[in-house]
Amino acid sequence: MARAFLREHGRYVGVLESTERLVLQGLMQQTRLLLSPEIEPTGDAFDDLVASMGLSLSAADQAASGANDSAAEADSSSFADRDPALDRLLPTAHRGDDQIAAEFRRLTEEGLRQRKSGNLDVAIECVEQAVGDRVVLDESQAPAFLMALTDVRLLLGERMGMRTEEDAEALHAAMEDIDDEDPLGYAMAWYDFLTWLQETLTQALMGTDLRDVVTAYDDDEDDDDLEDLPDEGGPRDGPV
């Protein structure tokens, strides 16, 4: 049974069983794949900053700036064709003008992809390095893990069609009559599990007194759904 993240000696420790770690890692990997930056970081802070803005300081690239402008215009038209999940993870900054939105995206999206991908890399490594069932986060890893959970929940919610509060209420209501073998039931169980896990880490980071907080994930119905998932496969086999 999973147990909440709690602060222990300057670290944040949660307990996740092997199946929970396996599926969580798979969901994080798929989110990382979707968010993968087109330009991977080089390790040089200045070069990475320039690249994340879609700019180059080389003479050859400057000579091709006109072609880049045309590409930006083409990007504004192709924006509507991309995976809608990216709109949740990388929302447009200007919904009233596609050209302005495309230009702002060109200057900022690559950096955002790199930051989000970096958070997911940290989170995946923390799950992989679990000691027994204990997932241990230090002060720098905990915020990255929290933001990674946010992005995984956004992606999973989008895949389930849960975009508004009304969607969420309707989906939860539908769970009462859903067939036991319906994959949507498994997805909702994991969404609720991730929500709980995120809340416990948030409370631990804020120093909330957890004596009045349920520290074990003991919802019987959700536990049944989690246990029914295979040890291998499930969300890890195909794209979310």
Side-chain angles (χ1 to χ4, degrees), residues 179-198:
D179 186 270
D180 290 341
E181 300 301 320
D182 193 322
L184 184 60
Y186 297 144
M188 178 56 76
W190 280 102
Y191 183 87
D192 288 343
F193 175 77
L194 293 172
T195 300
W196 169 82
L197 191 65
Q198 184 181 37

Side-chain angles (χ1 to χ4, degrees), residues 77-187:
S77 62
S78 63
F79 180 54
D81 299 328
R82 72 177 187 169
D83 191 328
L86 285 172
D87 291 343
R88 298 289 300 277
L89 297 167
L90 306 165
T92 183
H94 198 293
R95 299 184 183 278
D97 190 311
D98 290 344
Q99 189 169 359
I100 293 177
E103 179 63 14
F104 185 82
R105 186 169 64 254
R106 183 179 72 84
L107 294 174
T108 63
E109 184 172 295
E110 189 66 25
L112 185 57
R113 282 176 181 263
Q114 290 182 6
R115 290 193 296 275
K116 286 178 175 286
S117 295
N119 291 332
L120 285 157
D121 287 340
V122 170
I124 290 168
E125 184 177 4
C126 289
V127 176
E128 289 176 342
Q129 295 181 349
V131 180
D133 288 344
R134 290 162 56 90
V135 176
V136 182
L137 314 175
D138 63 26
E139 293 285 356
S140 64
Q141 293 167 333
F145 199 97
L146 186 64
M147 289 183 280
L149 287 175
T150 297
D151 286 336
V152 173
R153 288 180 63 249
L154 283 172
L155 178 55
L156 192 56
E158 172 64 29
R159 294 297 190 237
M160 292 189 294
M162 192 160 48
R163 302 176 182 89
T164 66
E165 290 293 333
E166 291 75 14
D167 291 337
E169 292 173 2
L171 197 53
H172 276 93
M175 292 299 105
E176 298 179 4
D177 301 318
I178 198 168
D179 186 270
D180 290 341
E181 300 301 320
D182 193 322
L184 184 60
Y186 297 144

